[in-house]
């Protein structure tokens, strides 16, 4: 459900199907921050994401250790023009050689890889989300169709290696509990209720503008707690990947829901105005 294409510009209006060839930015991760004093950075991921080079073939994937000595987890990274949220699913088409190698490794280990957003400028975000392969099909020419599901968020700490594909040491990210009691109506539960109500209104008016019959909007929250619901809402902002990335990076559920509430209010105001204009100037029937 793409709620925001009218409000927020995106160079990738339909990122659901991501091609691996588009995920090869010339510059990625302008900085590889050190989260631990003992870690040694290995330069920019600019060279990292662009370095394909020869390496072990798909028949002999190089395994990666699940955890490094400093407690960080090593993860193969896949820069893509989309944002993966926890519990969201994406369909991917893997055809670039180095990422085919990566998928052979992933499928022979724990089925996990990291998805990081890489925009049209080429630089990739330092916060991403683990994707786990839930279904895949290997084609005769060694390409893959696969569906991945988002799991845990992470922040890149340092580059581990760049060939035959990018591997980084990452630190897991979780939302932090509030430091003090929130103001009345500003706790995560109340914010989630506000966001769900706004989503209902947005869907209702959007359906009206698109000429769809008005019908009761079902249960959008589906019993989700505020944190997973905030990720679900962020995933609906399809067509606005930079806004989605900002939501993914927040480590405060209430802050994420507040930002989503503000965005939905802006969207609702836009759609309400558009609906008023449509009612004031209805389209005249075409003459025969």
């Amino acid at each position: 459900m793409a709620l925001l294409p009218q409000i927020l510009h995106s160079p990738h209006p339909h990122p659901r199907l991501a091609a691996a060839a588009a995920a090869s930015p010339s510059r990625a991760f302008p900085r590889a921050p050190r989260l631990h004093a003992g870690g040694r950075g290995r330069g920019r991921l600019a060279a990292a994401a662009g370095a394909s080079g020869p390496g072990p073939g798909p028949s002999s994937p190089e395994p990666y250790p699940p955890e490094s000595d400093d407690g960080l987890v090593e993860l193969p990274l896949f820069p893509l023009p989309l944002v993966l949220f926890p519990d969201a699913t994406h369909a991917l088409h893997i055809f670039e050689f180095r990422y085919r190698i990566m998928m052979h490794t992933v499928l022979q280990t724990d089925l996990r890889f990291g998805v990081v957003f890489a925009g049209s400028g080429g630089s990739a975000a330092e916060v991403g989300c683990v994707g786990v392969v839930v279904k895949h099909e290997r084609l005769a020419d060694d390409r893959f169709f696969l569906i991945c599901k988002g799991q845990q968020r992470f922040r890149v700490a340092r580059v581990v290696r760049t060939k035959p594909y990018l591997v980084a040491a990452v630190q897991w990210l979780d939302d932090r509990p509030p430091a003090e009691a929130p103001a009345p109506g500003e706790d995560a539960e109340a914010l989630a209720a506000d966001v769900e109500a706004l989503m209902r209104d947005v869907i209702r008016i959007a359906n009206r503008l698109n000429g769809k019959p008005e019908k009761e909007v079902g249960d959008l929250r589906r019993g989700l707690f505020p944190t997973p619901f905030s990720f679900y809402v962020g995933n609906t902002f399809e067509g606005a990947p930079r806004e989605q990335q900002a939501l993914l990076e927040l480590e405060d559920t209430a802050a994420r829901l507040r930002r989503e509430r503000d965005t939905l209010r802006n969207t609702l105001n836009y759609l309400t105005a558009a609906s008023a204009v449509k009612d004031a100037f209805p389209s005249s029937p075409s003459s025969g």
Side-chain angles (χ1 to χ4, degrees):
M1 176 180 5
L3 298 180
L4 304 182
Q6 308 95 334
I7 303 298
L8 299 175
H9 172 71
S10 166
H12 303 285
H14 300 289
R16 282 289 178 185
L17 185 62
S24 305
S26 58
R27 303 187 314 279
F29 296 102
R31 300 175 304 279
R34 299 178 185 178
L35 301 187
H36 296 261
R40 293 190 299 120
R42 299 195 179 185
R44 296 171 177 249
L45 284 204
S52 52
S59 60
S60 57
E62 182 181 355
Y64 54 91
E67 187 169 318
S68 56
D69 292 338
D70 53 13
L72 302 179
V73 176
E74 292 187 6
L75 198 64
L77 297 186
F78 198 173
L80 288 168
L82 58 83
V83 177
L84 179 65
F85 283 91
D87 292 322
T89 58
H90 277 287
L92 302 177
H93 175 203
I94 312 297
F95 56 82
E96 188 175 341
F97 180 68
R98 57 179 157 171
Y99 295 120
R100 285 188 279 132
I101 295 175
M102 186 182 80
M103 283 304 148
H104 278 275
T105 302
V106 166
L107 293 172
Q108 293 182 29
T109 53
D110 63 358
L111 304 179
R112 299 189 307 166
F113 60 99
V115 175
V116 287
F117 170 65
S120 57
S123 60
E126 294 174 355
V127 172
C129 183
V130 170
V132 60
V133 178
V134 296
K135 185 178 181 179
H136 77 279
E137 178 184 4
R138 180 182 174 185
L139 305 180
D141 59 0
D142 211 36
R143 291 180 295 122
F144 288 91
F145 289 127
L146 63 86
I147 296 175
C148 69
K149 184 175 182 178
Q151 287 190 330
Q152 181 72 19
R153 291 177 300 156
F154 62 84
R155 184 184 301 277
V156 172
R158 64 174 182 270
V159 179
V160 175
R161 65 173 182 268
T162 61
K163 295 181 180 181
Y165 50 82
L166 185 61
V167 176
V170 304
Q171 181 183 49
W172 300 130
L173 287 185
D174 289 301
D175 280 4
R176 299 186 299 265
E180 54 188 35
E186 290 295 310
D187 61 283
E189 187 62 42
L191 289 167
D194 289 345
V195 167
E196 182 180 18
L198 285 166
M199 288 184 71
R200 290 176 182 274
D201 290 339
V202 166
I203 294 170
R204 176 177 54 82
I205 296 181
N207 285 341
R208 181 185 177 192
L209 281 171
N210 292 327
K212 297 180 180 180
E214 291 194 21
K215 59 182 180 180
E216 185 69 21
V217 179
D219 180 12
L220 297 175
R221 192 165 170 187
R222 301 169 298 166
L224 292 174
F225 287 107
T227 298
F229 180 63
S230 71
F231 293 136
Y232 165 77
V233 175
N235 188 56
T236 68
F237 290 1
E238 185 178 328
R242 297 192 185 279
E243 175 64 15
Q244 289 181 312
Q245 181 64 33
L247 294 169
L248 185 75
E249 293 181 5
L250 289 174
E251 298 178 54
D252 183 320
T253 299
R256 187 179 303 108
L257 287 166
R258 275 192 294 270
R259 182 161 179 157
E260 292 167 343
R261 181 184 62 183
D262 292 344
T263 301
L264 287 166
R265 280 176 176 168
N266 291 338
T267 303
L268 183 61
N269 290 338
Y270 175 91
L271 294 176
T272 301
S275 179
V277 170
K278 183 177 181 180
D279 291 341
F281 303 98
S283 301
S284 58
S286 58
S287 59

